[in-house]
Structures are given as structure tokens and as C-alpha cells.
Amino acid sequence: MNMNPEERETVCKCGQETEEQKYERLDQVIEIYKSKPGSLIQILHMAQGIFGHIPSELQEYIAGKLNMPVAKVHGVVSFYTHFSMVPKGEHTIQVCMGTACFVRGGKEILETLTDELGIGVGETTPDGKFTLEVTRCIGACGLAPAVTIDNVVYQMMDSNKIKQVLKNGEFGA
Amino acid sequence: MINLTIDNKKVQGQEGQTVLQVAEANGIHIPTLCYMEGVHENFSCRICVVEVEGMRNLQPSCSVKAAEGMVVRTNNEKVLSARRTIVNLMLSNGAHNCLSCEKNGDCQLQDAAYELGIEAPKFILKSENDPGIDDSSPMIIRDNRKCILCKRCVIACNKIVDNDVLGLAQRGSETVVVCDTDKPMGESSCVQCGECVQRCPVGALIEKKSVGKARSWETTKVRTTCPYCGVGCQLNLHMKGEEIVKVTGVEGAQPNDGRLCVKGRFGYDFIYSDERLTTPLIKQADGTFREASWDEALDLVANKFKAIIAKYGPEAVAGVSCARSTNENSYQMQKLVRAVFQSPNIDHCARVCHAPTVSGLMKSFGTGGMTNSIQEFANTKLLFCIGTNMTEAHPVASTFVKNGARNGAKLIVCDPRRHRLADYADIFAQMKVGSDVAFLNAIMNVLINEDLYDKEFVRDHCENFEELKACVMKYPPERGEEISGVPKETIIEIARMLGTVKPAMLIYTLGITEHTCGTDNVISVANLQMLLGNIGKENTGVNPLRGQNNVQGACDMGALPNVLPGYQSFTDPAVNAKFAKAWGVDSIPAKNGLMIAQMLDGLLDKTIRGLFLFGENLVQAEPDIAHVEKCMAAAEFLVSTDIFMTETTRFAHVILPAASWCEDEGTYTNCERRISRVRKIKNAPGEAKPDWWIFKQIAKRFGHEWASNSAREIWDNELAVLCPSFAGVKYYRLDGDGIQWPCPSEDHPGTQILHKDGNFTRGKGLLVPLEWTPPAEVPDAEYPFVLSTGRRLYHYHTRTQTGRAKGLNDLLPEEYADISDIDAGRMGIADGEKIRVWSRRGSVEVTARVSERIQPGLVWMAFHYREGNANWLTNKAYDRVTMTPEYKACAVNISKL
């Protein structure tokens, strides 16, 4: 993403900041964007970066700052799978359910993951390590079935391979 | 004009109309589930599709513009088949259980299925998740299983009433209507106005109170006027026998176009309360009341008043009329006092709210009423709202202001509290309580110094400009800031906006009038609008929102100590003779009578010995309750007509049971001078009688035979004849949207805008120089807070009505004291904690509401409940001209309990 210096300030520093500091950074973001029409999604994107998720109170705060119905903010947050209203795990696993991945076994991979992790889609493991999601086509049909973990693509998966990935415990680039 | 063919019929339409609008206008029915006239912006339901020759696909008739030569088919097989599929899909999704649905018979989805011959849903769709029923709010049940996602409720909430609660969430097959962030309605920011319910085409939103009361086909609709605030909303009462099953707003009607607030829509059931007074009551020696016949009670009242008048003269008796009741009743009351008792002492509760409006605007313009009309709020370019918390006190009027702001009008809000309307404002000025004259003078100072005022209008239509100028020159923005607390930059910004954006409407409420300088404040806003040339034109004017349903009317009826009906003067011999002749007496007392506060004090010093109270709960509503109770207890003879026992009737010697709203015909006059009908739908309970009848019976016992025998006869045969401004108003003309006075003849349409083209009633508009004066009691070391009072959304005044309407007590169960978060933090008071608030008059224990909307040093309270009522604390200081109490300012202290 093409970031200006102020935007760069909004990358996630979860866990290192107090709530107050997070709200301060959010205020800076809102200040930059609030006069630009159609900037709600960008602000929410930044807010999720700062807070890790966008709970009701944060939606209300943003709506108040933008002088916008909170239901409208909630409509956008709930529309996009990218936004989460609950805290996410340390790692986000997304199983592709696009047509190619689905027919080549995406569903079995998902079942394996729900069994292994003991959670359903959209949920986070009690230890806070993993969040499991499904996603529409990620454009890697040639590598189907595909899974992403923290935005890194794991290609041509099957039940055993994905178990192995989890076991290795090293994620990301 | 354009010509097109619909279903082989040649029809005509207007340029810009949609095919749906043209078809409707020509009596051709096209079904639709999402369409809303005026605010249609979602084309979601698709069942209004039609075939248009030359266009490839079926077209939604609600969005396709009619064009010259267009050939449209609304009911061929292709169209019907498409509609069938859509309606089938809707019926297959969710739970449309017509058998037990409240909307059965009044459901547009059911109608569409019937029209299309769908017997049962064709598909079986399995819903992934069951949204269930949300009955968490006191008034509305949401059943999203029946929701067809037409979005009418969302648009109603966001674009009609602008309450911004409902929205769509999730996506695809999981799309759902939510409140705020998907909260239960009862925990959301919803104010229960019910606009969404009225607009819902199916049974997804219904009135909780109406469940199980009636099938839709068993009810009949009766149009009437709302009994709460001065907006005068038009209601349809849905009746089954004598019972109101539900209430809806009359769409397309003035002034509310279908909109209602929580009280108007859901506050109707007080009339059925078991606590209604049903028989005359006479106080016994031991202080308890016993039931009596009408004859006994009326004889007693007449004999007591006769005796007092014989012994102490007519001025020893007084009457207080009622701004809640009809014009005809108020007219009859003042006639009783003036003609029968021959006393000048008649007043009513405008004294405690808008008397300064009548007096101030009379002085400035020559007519004491709102100059323009509510419908104009949505169309003007600038709205200047000062001292008006209208989202709570006049909710429906506020929707038109919010519409105006959304339509691009600038909105300036000036108030000590950052109330809800301020959220929509371009400029919000958080003034100190009681600083209005200085603040407005400072604005006018900038307008004159920067040459931003309307010189032509001032020259041609106003007098006394030089005197006004000399005065406001003493109030530069710096001084305005010092007194009002509003930064001088903001004062200058407001002045420049006012000077450059025209037309502009000024709207105010009791924040202006309830001060020792109330009349000055009113004159001051009139000065400002005259200086800007914002008078006598559409979308301009000085617009006071009146507090009660008929406070305008009770003033118009002459229930005031200084004027006769129609604001005619009893000192004018011709007028006096006219009324004396009509009322069958030699003359009318030609002197100003006492005002309410003087009457109360008169009970103590025995200058007043007989007091007739008509529907007034003075004990709760007047300032300094302890003092009022002392006065009441000292009354030699007190009569009270009412529909319930109140804190005031306890002191009465005779209580007469009255018919309420819905139990008699009559008229109310709203704040825009619109005279509207109120209709009878049931008989009064027990032996309760209309007030006009009660007054007539007392007059009879004084030997006066009053001819009129109904509200209609009183209006048509007396008021229209005696008052030039109502001469053209007759009952036969009042069936629809009523008539705005002045209306001098039966062919006159009524008057939407006063002082047209700068032709003021008094000739030229009078600019009056005014010096700022502080409130009578200001904070000091002992009482460091300012207390300001008013009413809240969910109750009306002393709760005699709203306290008996199911659900409203749940929405506001007790009194609160609103305090600033800064003061609360300093004093360690948490939101919801009990605090003590005390003044030099009294002390109350009340729950604190901590809010950042309140400025430090301010305490704000209401007077709905006896416990924690603000009037235990308020000050008996009065407007210098009209004796309206200074409810908006007194000094108090607070402490944590």
C-alpha cells in the first residue's frame, strides 16, 4: 500500500500501547480522512490495524467522530470479512472456498482444521493463537486448494499437509 | 405534459415522473413493497417491474422515468411471471405466518401474493440463522423473520425522521436490519417514534400495545389532532368499537406528514385508565372526598362563588383556563369569568411558558404568533435554533429541521446544553444560561459593523434603527463572549453566516422565554430577524415552538388577563359593547386581571377567595412547590375540573370530572396558528362531562342562558362571529388540514406567512434597543451551580397523562439531574448515583446523569415526577412584563449522597 508518513503511524503496535495511545493514533487517522468523502472504509482499515479488531464501542466512537449513524458504520464492518468485531488470534488461517479450491478439496481441509483447532469458522482458539476463516477466491486457482496463514499462501494442500504446517508452527514469510 | 400508453390506455404524466407515479395518478395499479413517495431511493423489491416497449429487460417502474410516446405493459404474462417468482422467493424465506400475524389483512406482501394468485410458497428455502424476535423495547416488536429487506424502515429512520438508528448489516443471504451495532432495540439509541413501524409493509415491525387487540378489517380510522405538544400532529386513530387499537400519523397531512413521536403514537391509552374521575366529588369536613350528583356539586360551586362575589366583589374570584383542552372550552371558561363572574382575573398556563412570546412579538410585529410554518423548516437555507431542545420537546418539528440540514441548509444551534440537535449543526454555540440578549446584541453588532444587515428592509419596513444601533454598539463580540461564554470568533462566524445565507428561519422555545428578561429575549430575536430582512417571506421568520397542544389556542381564545378572544381589547368601547351584547351583559370588565402567580399570592393575602382551576396541576408546575402548596391550602374555595386526581386536586373543595381528549368534539390551534379538529370517539367515563357544558351549567345558575350547545355551535356561532381573525373559520372547512389564522372570510385560504412582504400587522416593525440583565438569582459561594429546567422526551409535564400510558414510565421511570462530566469527576459522582440538589427553596434527592453534553456549573432537571421535581428548587422570580417564572435559571448546590 502506498502510505504517506501519517498513515505509516497506524500500523499495528498491538500489545505495546495503552488504550489511550491507540485512541490518540485513531484520532490522527480520522483527522486526516474525515473531510474526504467515502473514507469510512479506510478509517476502519486503520482502526483495525491499531486495535486489532473493531468492537461496538469503537464503531460508536468512529461514528461519533464522523457524525455518521453508527448503524452505517456497523453495516460496513459487518459487510466485509476483513473486519472483525472480536479480537483475532495471533495467526489468521483463511481457507479458500473459491470454486477451484472447493472442488479440489477445500472443504476437507476446512474440516481438518476445525477438528484440529477445535473451533468453528470465525472463531479463535482459547489460547488466542489461531483464528479460522474462510475466504472467497484469492486468485491462486492454479495452486488449489490454497490456504493462507497471515497472508502467506500455502499451496496444493491436503489434510495431512495442513496438519504438518500447523505442527511445524512457523508461519509467515 | 407527456403522453404515453399504459396497458393500451392513453395517459398523460408530468415531466420527471416515474412510470409508477404516472400509473398511480391514472388509476393503474402496480404493486410495490419498497416504494415511499418523496424519499424513494432504494429499488430493492423489484415487484413493480413492467415491460417497456423497446427496452430489453423488464424495468422497475419506480425508477424508470416516463417519456413521450412510451408504451408500457404492467400485467402481461412476462411481467406477472417475474413478479410471481419474486413474491414466491420472499414468501419462502423467513416465517410468514399469516394466520396469527398482526398485519393480516393490512399486509402488502399478502396483497401481492393474493393479486398474483400465489396459494402457498413455491420454494423451500432453509434459513441459515433464525434472527428471532426482538421485543426488548417498550413499544415496538421486531420480527426479522418476516422482514423482506425492502429497507423502508431504514430510510424512514435515516431520511424521514433522521433518528439514525436502523441500518443494514451483514451481506448476501444473511443481510439483516439492525439497530446501531446490532443491539436489541431496547438497548439501542432508538427513541421509539415508530416511523419504521408505520412504514413497514409487512409484519416485521409492529406496535407492542396493539398485539391481539383487533384484526385490521375490524377497525375504522378516525382523524384527530395529537393531545401533546404544540406541533399539532394529525393522527389516525384505529378504532375497534370504543377502543383505540393503534395510532398512525396521517401521511400527506399538514403539519406532520405522517410523522409522530413516541408520545403521539403510543401515549393514547391514558383515556382508558381506571383512575379517571367519573363523578363530582365534594370535600368533607375530615378532608376526604365524597361522591356527589352534578346538581349538588354545581349548586355548591355557584352558591359559593355568588357568596364570595356578593361579599368581596367580583375581583375576589379568579379562573385559570387550560392549554391542554380545546379552544371552545377555553373560550367558554373566560366567558364564565368575564361575563358571569364579572371578574377580569382569567389566565392560563401560557403564563408559565410562552406569554413573553405573545407580548414580545405583539410589541415588535403586532401579532403574537409564529410568523411562518413548520413545513418550511425543510426548505430554508439557514436554521437558527436558540433555546430549543426540540428533538425532545418538539420531536416532529425537529425532524423537519434535520431534513433541512440534510437538504443543505446551514444549521446554527445555540444552547447551554449540547443537546441532540447540536450533533447536526454547522455551528454550535454553548451559551451560558440567561445570556441571550448580550449574545444576540453582539451578533447584531457584527452585522451592523460589517455592513451585513438588510439595509433596504430596515429602511422600508422597520422603525427605530438608530436607537437599536446605538445600543448594540455597546456589545462588541468581546463583550458578547464575556457574558455568554461563546468565543468571539464564533459570534463573528455566526453573524457572517446569518448575513450571507438567506432565507433563514429563527426557531426558539422556552430557553428564550422562561427568564426574568423573557420578553426582552423574544424582542431580541425579533430584532435580529428584522435586521436580516428575514420576515414576511417564505422560509424565514420568528418561529416559537409552543409547548402545549393548544397553548396558542388558549391565548387566541382570550384566556389571558389583558385581551379578549382574537386579541381584541376590552378597553375599546366598541369591542367591549360587542362582546357584552353577545354574552348578554351590560359590559365586560375593562381592566387587566391578575396573572397566575398573583392569583396564588392572592389566596394567601385573601384578595382572592374563590379560584376556579380548569385542568391545571399548578402544584407541580409552578416554581417553588412548597410556596404553591401553602397558597393552595389557604384557599377559601377552590374548584378543580380535571380528568384525574392530581397533586393540585387534593386542595380542591369541589372536583368536577371532565371529558378528555377523544371524548368530545372541538379544535386545537397549533404553534403555526393552524386550527385543527379534535374528534369524539367514545363517551366520557361515568358521569364525566365536557368542560364547556360544566361552565354553561354554572352560568345557568347565575341566571345566564348560553345558547350554544356543542363545540361546533360555540365556534361557528360565537367565535367566528366575534373575532375578525377567525371570521372565515367554520367547522365545515376544518375536515382536512385545518386553517391557519388570520382567516377573515370564508373564501380566504388562511395565512401561512404573517407580515407578508414586510407589511407588519402594526405597520412598521419595531426595533427595540435592549440592555442585557442577568437572571434574578446567580451562582455564589453557597449555591455555585445554575439549575435550568424543562421537559424530557418520554413524559409530558406533570405526567397526569403520560404516567398512565403504558410503556412511557418504563422509558423514563424517575427524575434525573443532568450534570457535567467535569463536575462529576471533580466531585466523585458516578453516572446513576443518587445526589442531593438543594436551593434556597428546597432540597431533593435524585439520580445523577453524568454527561459531556452539559457545561460545567450547570444542573438540568425536569418536573415530571413529584419526587425529585425541579420545582421544589426553582425560583419565584418573574419576567418583568408577563410574570413568566424564571424556570431556566436559579442557583443550587449539589452533593454526593
Side-chain angles (χ1 to χ4, degrees):
Chain A
M1 193 191 304
N2 215 350
M3 279 187 176
N4 63 33
E6 292 95 333
E7 286 173 45
R8 217 167 290 133
E9 284 304 303
T10 64
V11 293
C12 185
K13 295 174 190 167
C14 290
Q16 303 159 29
E17 278 185 318
T18 62
E19 281 294 293
E20 235 169 72
Q21 288 169 321
K22 288 178 188 171
Y23 274 100
E24 238 167 70
R25 281 211 289 148
L26 179 62
D27 285 346
Q28 289 166 9
V29 170
I30 292 172
E31 213 37 59
I32 296 167
Y33 285 100
K34 83 171 175 198
S35 53
K36 296 177 193 161
S39 58
L40 175 61
I41 290 179
Q42 190 65 358
I43 290 169
L44 291 173
H45 188 72
M46 299 290 175
Q48 180 146 303
I50 295 167
F51 288 84
H53 67 296
I54 313 177
S56 293
E57 308 81 67
L58 192 54
Q59 294 170 35
E60 280 160 16
Y61 182 82
I62 292 168
K65 284 273 175 182
L66 296 177
N67 203 6
M68 185 180 272
V70 65
K72 190 171 171 184
V73 174
H74 180 75
V76 174
V77 171
S78 63
F79 186 90
Y80 294 103
T81 44
H82 172 78
F83 297 123
S84 174
M85 287 185 262
V86 289
K88 283 206 178 184
E90 203 180 317
H91 304 288
T92 300
I93 305 175
Q94 293 189 312
V95 182
C96 183
M97 286 287 155
T99 311
C101 291
F102 185 82
V103 298
R104 298 197 62 177
K107 197 153 178 262
E108 288 77 47
I109 295 169
L110 182 63
E111 276 162 11
T112 307
L113 281 168
T114 54
D115 285 351
E116 286 289 304
L117 299 172
I119 53 172
V121 173
E123 291 175 358
T124 300
T125 52
D127 63 1
K129 196 150 189 208
F130 295 104
T131 296
L132 180 61
E133 292 175 352
V134 294
T135 177
R136 307 281 171 217
C137 180
I138 58 171
C141 307
L143 311 172
V147 171
T148 67
I149 303 180
D150 299 343
N151 295 328
V152 172
V153 179
Y154 292 79
Q155 54 184 332
M156 298 198 225
M157 285 286 111
D158 60 30
S159 287
N160 286 331
K161 281 189 190 168
I162 193 70
K163 278 187 203 164
Q164 200 55 47
V165 171
L166 287 184
K167 212 168 157 190
N168 287 346
E170 281 171 27
F171 311 111
Chain B
M1 203 55 102
I2 47 177
N3 300 289
L4 56 161
T5 309
I6 304 181
D7 296 342
N8 299 320
K9 190 177 157 193
K10 303 253 179 257
V11 297
Q12 288 190 317
Q14 306 287 341
E15 199 74 44
Q17 279 188 315
T18 61
V19 169
L20 178 67
Q21 286 168 324
V22 176
E24 283 284 305
N26 286 282
I28 299 165
H29 172 67
I30 299 176
T32 168
L33 293 171
C34 70
Y35 185 76
M36 286 198 289
E37 185 75 38
V39 287
H40 192 54
E41 57 175 50
N42 81 104
F43 312 105
S44 60
C45 86
R46 312 310 274 193
I47 71 158
C48 71
V49 288
V50 293
E51 188 178 56
V52 180
E53 234 170 61
M55 292 188 180
R56 211 159 54 131
N57 299 319
L58 294 178
Q59 300 292 320
S61 61
C62 65
S63 70
V64 172
K65 294 267 184 275
E68 183 66 35
M70 204 178 233
V71 179
V72 179
R73 284 179 203 90
T74 73
N75 58 5
N76 64 17
E77 191 44 41
K78 190 175 168 192
V79 168
L80 295 178
S81 159
R83 283 187 194 151
R84 257 181 232 120
T85 307
I86 297 163
V87 173
N88 254 316
L89 283 167
M90 285 175 177
L91 285 170
S92 307
N93 197 6
H96 300 278
N97 53 337
C98 297
L99 293 179
S100 59
C101 182
E102 285 296 321
K103 279 288 244 192
N104 189 6
D106 185 27
C107 170
Q108 292 170 37
L109 181 62
Q110 197 183 50
D111 290 347
Y114 180 80
E115 277 171 37
L116 294 164
I118 299 170
E119 289 181 1
K122 201 171 180 180
F123 313 112
I124 298 167
L125 298 180
K126 199 173 143 273
S127 247
E128 288 288 316
N129 46 355
D130 178 1
I133 292 173
D134 173 11
D135 68 349
S136 60
S137 74
M139 303 301 188
I140 297 168
I141 297 175
R142 299 169 68 222
D143 185 351
N144 271 340
R145 300 170 310 167
K146 294 176 183 166
C147 175
I148 55 168
L149 294 171
C150 69
K151 271 174 73 179
R152 277 195 197 175
C153 58
V154 175
I155 291 166
C157 188
N158 291 273
K159 296 291 161 71
I160 296 178
V161 291
D162 278 295
N163 283 332
D164 299 345
V165 180
L166 297 177
L168 284 185
Q170 308 297 338
R171 64 168 184 274
S173 61
E174 284 170 22
T175 306
V176 65
V177 176
V178 298
C179 301
D180 295 338
T181 55
D182 199 10
K183 290 181 176 170
M185 188 173 248
E187 292 166 27
S188 74
S189 60
C190 173
V191 292
Q192 303 277 286
C193 78
E195 184 73 18
C196 55
V197 181
Q198 181 161 334
R199 300 289 184 163
C200 181
V202 295
L205 289 160
I206 52 169
E207 298 90 346
K208 196 179 258 184
K209 282 191 190 185
S210 308
V211 173
K213 291 273 176 69
R215 316 307 303 269
S216 61
W217 54 86
E218 296 175 308
T219 64
T220 50
K221 277 195 265 187
V222 178
R223 179 171 173 167
T224 194
T225 306
C226 178
Y228 290 105
C229 82
V231 173
C233 292
Q234 294 301 294
L235 318 178
N236 275 324
L237 307 176
H238 298 244
M239 304 296 308
K240 181 182 177 184
E242 283 209 337
E243 191 181 12
I244 301 172
V245 172
K246 71 171 176 178
V247 171
T248 52
V250 183
E251 288 171 30
Q254 294 290 350
N256 55 314
D257 192 13
R259 307 167 187 196
L260 297 175
C261 75
V262 61
K263 296 190 289 287
R265 195 181 299 275
F266 300 113
Y268 54 83
D269 40 337
F270 69 90
I271 59 173
Y272 304 105
S273 166
D274 294 340
E275 297 172 88
R276 284 289 301 275
L277 294 171
T278 55
T279 171
L281 298 168
I282 293 174
K283 191 175 266 175
Q284 307 178 99
D286 66 354
T288 60
F289 288 97
R290 68 170 170 84
E291 294 187 356
S293 71
W294 272 108
D295 275 336
E296 186 190 2
L298 291 167
D299 287 346
L300 176 61
V301 172
N303 290 337
K304 279 283 184 183
F305 272 80
K306 275 184 198 167
I308 291 169
I309 291 168
K311 196 164 174 191
Y312 304 102
E315 289 183 36
V317 301
V320 180
S321 192
C322 174
R324 313 282 295 128
S325 189
T326 62
N327 282 319
E328 293 77 1
N329 287 337
S330 256
Y331 167 82
Q332 203 83 335
M333 170 87 188
Q334 60 87 38
K335 188 165 75 172
L336 177 71
V337 172
R338 287 197 165 109
V340 177
F341 299 163
Q342 284 287 314
S343 168
N345 301 326
I346 174 74
D347 202 1
H348 79 281
C349 46
R351 189 61 52 206
V352 296
C353 61
H354 267 294
T357 291
V358 177
S359 142
L361 297 185
M362 196 72 95
K363 182 167 181 179
S364 297
F365 302 152
T367 301
M370 178 169 173
T371 64
N372 289 58
S373 298
I374 292 167
Q375 56 185 306
E376 296 165 47
F377 295 173
N379 305 322
T380 189
K381 293 275 182 277
L382 195 162
L383 291 142
F384 184 92
C385 302
I386 182 164
T388 173
N389 173 24
M390 64 173 95
T391 54
E392 290 201 72
H394 302 90
V396 174
S398 83
T399 66
F400 291 99
V401 169
K402 290 184 281 185
N403 291 169
R406 197 168 27 73
N407 292 341
K410 296 287 177 195
L411 176 61
I412 301 171
V413 174
C414 312
D415 204 280
R417 289 183 295 161
R418 189 185 185 87
H419 51 65
R420 184 84 172 93
L421 195 63
D423 297 348
Y424 299 83
D426 294 282
I427 304 176
F428 169 61
Q430 193 154 21
M431 315 162 57
K432 283 187 196 156
V433 171
S435 64
D436 307 75
V437 169
F439 174 70
L440 292 162
N441 275 352
I443 291 173
M444 290 188 271
N445 177 293
V446 179
L447 287 171
I448 294 174
N449 276 330
E450 298 196 2
D451 221 15
L452 289 168
Y453 70 102
D454 188 338
K455 284 187 278 300
E456 208 175 304
F457 186 88
V458 168
R459 185 192 65 213
D460 297 344
H461 302 292
C462 304
E463 56 193 40
N464 223 26
F465 173 71
E466 289 306 324
E467 287 79 354
L468 175 77
K469 182 179 171 182
C471 176
V472 301
M473 284 306 124
K474 292 184 271 176
Y475 293 84
E478 293 73 17
R479 187 163 176 222
E481 170 172 347
E482 189 190 308
I483 296 170
S484 71
V486 178
K488 67 172 193 288
E489 296 77 17
T490 308
I491 292 174
I492 294 168
E493 193 189 356
I494 290 172
R496 288 181 183 160
M497 191 179 273
L498 285 168
T500 49
V501 184
K502 304 281 176 73
M505 301 187 83
L506 186 147
I507 305 165
Y508 72 84
T509 310
L510 301 182
I512 284 290
T513 60
E514 288 179 348
H515 286 285
T516 43
C517 55
T519 303
D520 286 357
N521 288 346
V522 171
I523 293 172
S524 210
V525 297
N527 283 343
L528 176 67
Q529 281 295 63
M530 283 191 278
L531 202 58
L532 290 163
N534 280 324
I535 297 284
K537 301 165 194 152
E538 197 167 9
N539 307 325
T540 67
V542 173
N543 301 286
L545 298 175
R546 308 292 303 250
Q548 296 176 310
N549 55 329
N550 198 38
V551 69
Q552 180 70 50
C555 292
D556 300 345
M557 292 304 107
L560 291 170
N562 59 336
V563 284
L564 286 168
Y567 302 98
Q568 299 175 83
S569 174
F570 40 64
T571 53
D572 178 336
V575 169
N576 197 304
K578 175 175 76 172
F579 278 95
K581 183 164 176 253
W583 295 345
V585 292
D586 295 335
S587 68
I588 309 299
K591 65 178 277 195
N592 285 351
L594 298 181
M595 298 183 260
I596 290 177
Q598 294 168 321
M599 294 176 186
L600 289 174
D601 289 340
L603 293 173
L604 269 187
D605 66 21
K606 297 292 173 197
T607 49
I608 295 294
R609 290 175 181 267
L611 181 62
F612 202 128
L613 295 179
F614 164 20
E616 291 279 330
N617 190 3
L618 295 180
V619 166
Q620 292 279 86
E622 292 288 313
D624 193 352
I625 291 177
H627 170 78
V628 180
E629 291 193 339
K630 206 166 96 187
C631 297
M632 290 286 178
E636 189 169 312
F637 189 66
L638 190 67
V639 187
S640 194
T641 73
D642 216 307
I643 59 174
F644 291 110
M645 283 289 205
T646 68
E647 291 78 1
T648 301
T649 58
R650 291 182 293 141
F651 294 93
H653 298 91
V654 178
I655 303 171
L656 303 173
S660 81
W661 174 72
C662 284
E663 292 168 357
D664 192 22
E665 298 288 320
T667 56
Y668 295 156
T669 307
N670 79 347
C671 60
E672 48 173 19
R673 299 165 279 105
R674 186 184 302 282
I675 301 159
S676 301
R677 287 283 302 272
V678 200
R679 289 185 172 81
K680 178 175 175 175
I681 51 140
K682 69 182 274 282
N683 288 315
E687 292 173 50
K689 292 284 188 189
D691 295 278
W692 63 262
W693 180 91
I694 297 172
F695 304 139
K696 184 177 153 123
Q697 296 307 313
I698 293 166
K700 191 175 173 184
R701 283 162 172 77
F702 275 76
H704 292 246
E705 285 295 339
W706 289 352
S708 297
N709 217 14
S710 68
R712 186 180 190 128
E713 286 177 20
I714 291 170
W715 186 282
D716 283 356
N717 302 342
E718 299 190 41
L719 278 156
V721 176
L722 289 166
C723 304
S725 45
F726 313 134
V729 182
K730 291 283 173 84
Y731 262 51
Y732 77 86
R733 295 186 66 194
L734 294 177
D735 275 340
D737 288 345
I739 297 175
Q740 288 174 280
W741 67 260
C743 176
S745 61
E746 283 181 55
D747 55 3
H748 190 284
T751 308
Q752 182 189 330
I753 300 162
L754 292 179
H755 321 299
K756 208 70 195 273
D757 306 319
N759 297 315
F760 287 95
T761 314
R762 70 181 293 282
K764 284 196 168 189
L766 181 64
L767 294 164
V768 184
L770 294 164
E771 297 287 353
W772 171 73
T773 54
E777 189 180 69
V778 293
D780 54 24
E782 206 181 337
Y783 295 95
F785 290 85
V786 176
L787 172 70
S788 206
T789 75
R791 72 173 179 239
R792 298 188 194 270
L793 175 63
Y794 298 112
H795 276 301
Y796 195 87
H797 289 188
T798 63
R799 272 176 67 253
T800 44
Q801 290 166 244
T802 53
R804 287 152 174 124
K806 202 175 157 204
L808 291 174
N809 287 339
D810 299 331
L811 287 161
L812 186 69
E814 59 173 322
E815 283 302 349
Y816 297 94
D818 297 354
I819 57 172
S820 108
D821 53 342
I822 294 167
D823 289 330
R826 190 169 51 79
M827 302 178 76
I829 299 166
D831 186 59
E833 254 180 339
K834 283 273 181 200
I835 59 171
R836 190 163 86 90
V837 186
W838 71 100
S839 74
R840 291 183 174 87
R841 273 75 52 192
S843 169
V844 296
E845 287 177 10
V846 63
T847 303
R849 263 191 187 170
V850 177
S851 167
E852 74 287 355
R853 291 177 180 271
I854 303 289
Q855 57 179 286
L858 179 66
V859 179
W860 197 93
M861 292 172 64
F863 60 110
H864 301 307
Y865 287 82
R866 185 166 170 84
E867 300 289 315
N869 190 308
N871 286 327
W872 292 104
L873 313 172
T874 44
N875 191 11
K876 278 193 303 116
Y878 301 101
D879 174 43
R880 290 180 287 271
V881 181
T882 64
M883 285 200 79
T884 293
E886 190 159 59
Y887 290 112
K888 297 300 185 206
C890 72
V892 297
N893 203 349
I894 62 174
S895 71
K896 195 177 152 125
L897 274 184

